Amino acid sequence: MATPIIKTDRLILRKMKSSDLSYLMEIFSDPEAMRFYRSTKTREQAEDWISWTLHNYRTYGVGLWIAEEKTSGRFLGQCGITPQDTGGIIEMEIGYLFARREWGKGYATEAALACKEYGFKSLKYKKLVSIINVKNLASIRVAEKAGMKKEKTFLRAGNKMYVYSISNV
């Protein structure tokens, strides 16, 4: 078993690896789970996603982590901290994307709260954001439950996006 980055009551967040491709494809090939992304992803695009994540680990010391159920090790989704462009400014984002079979169970909120605590307490970040499509009400609720407030709106690839943020002051 991989060394956990973060543990919560129900979750383990661990580094992503190439062998997670089939798990990630459960999400990336699901049109409903990917509704607020540009499109679903092919296996090749998912491999690129993993490469991007591994690059973030090496470059920034953070990235998206695989979320597993603590007791069973079952794949649930991904959550983590990544550098993102929020309309001309690079900020550290808490991102989350879970398998549809796990929606409504509070895992995204639990993972986002754990990432917020890790970002502020362990990494000493002063601010964290979440970038959310304005139509993605479930993700907006997760950000709000994590204590974030709507900061601004910007366009990304023709989509209106909110930036939710929280500061550690």
Side-chain angles (χ1 to χ4, degrees):
M1 177 183 274
T3 305
I5 303 295
I6 299 173
K7 289 183 184 182
T8 69
D9 288 345
R10 301 184 297 162
L11 304 174
I12 287 176
L13 299 181
R14 62 155 175 87
K15 283 188 174 180
M16 189 180 293
K17 49 192 192 261
S18 297
S19 59
D20 291 317
L21 179 63
S22 60
Y23 296 129
L24 291 168
M25 284 308 296
E26 178 185 354
I27 300 170
F28 291 154
S29 64
D30 181 348
E32 182 62 19
M34 297 298 288
R35 183 169 48 144
F36 297 109
Y37 285 77
R38 290 182 185 105
S39 66
T40 56
K41 292 187 185 303
T42 63
R43 289 184 73 79
E44 183 178 330
Q45 290 168 323
E47 288 169 350
D48 290 345
W49 181 270
I50 292 170
S51 293
W52 170 73
T53 298
L54 299 179
H55 168 78
N56 283 334
Y57 295 160
R58 289 188 303 273
T59 307
Y60 302 100
V62 292
L64 290 168
W65 300 302
I66 296 295
E68 296 175 332
E69 189 176 53
K70 194 179 208 176
T71 54
S72 69
R74 187 168 54 94
F75 171 80
L76 304 172
Q78 56 185 328
C79 184
I81 301 171
T82 61
Q84 293 288 334
D85 183 337
T86 62
I89 302 165
I90 301 298
E91 301 189 83
M92 297 310 279
E93 180 198 27
I94 297 174
Y96 36 88
L97 185 59
F98 282 75
R100 187 161 29 129
R101 64 180 156 75
E102 304 302 341
W103 290 1
K105 298 178 183 176
Y107 290 130
T109 299
E110 188 173 330
L113 284 165
C115 287
K116 178 182 82 169
E117 181 177 341
Y118 183 76
F120 286 156
K121 291 186 176 171
S122 298
L123 303 175
K124 307 298 183 204
Y125 292 142
K126 299 288 183 230
K127 178 183 178 185
L128 290 163
V129 302
S130 281
I131 303 166
I132 306 167
N133 185 299
V134 298
K135 297 175 185 170
N136 191 341
L137 302 180
S139 283
I140 289 169
R141 282 193 298 276
V142 170
E144 290 172 344
K145 288 177 186 175
M148 295 184 169
K149 304 277 187 236
K150 187 174 16 171
E151 178 182 313
K152 67 181 180 179
T153 305
F154 74 104
L155 284 177
R156 175 187 276 174
N159 291 307
K160 195 172 175 185
M161 308 296 282
Y162 288 139
V163 176
Y164 272 72
S165 68
I166 188 165
S167 296
N168 185 24
V169 288

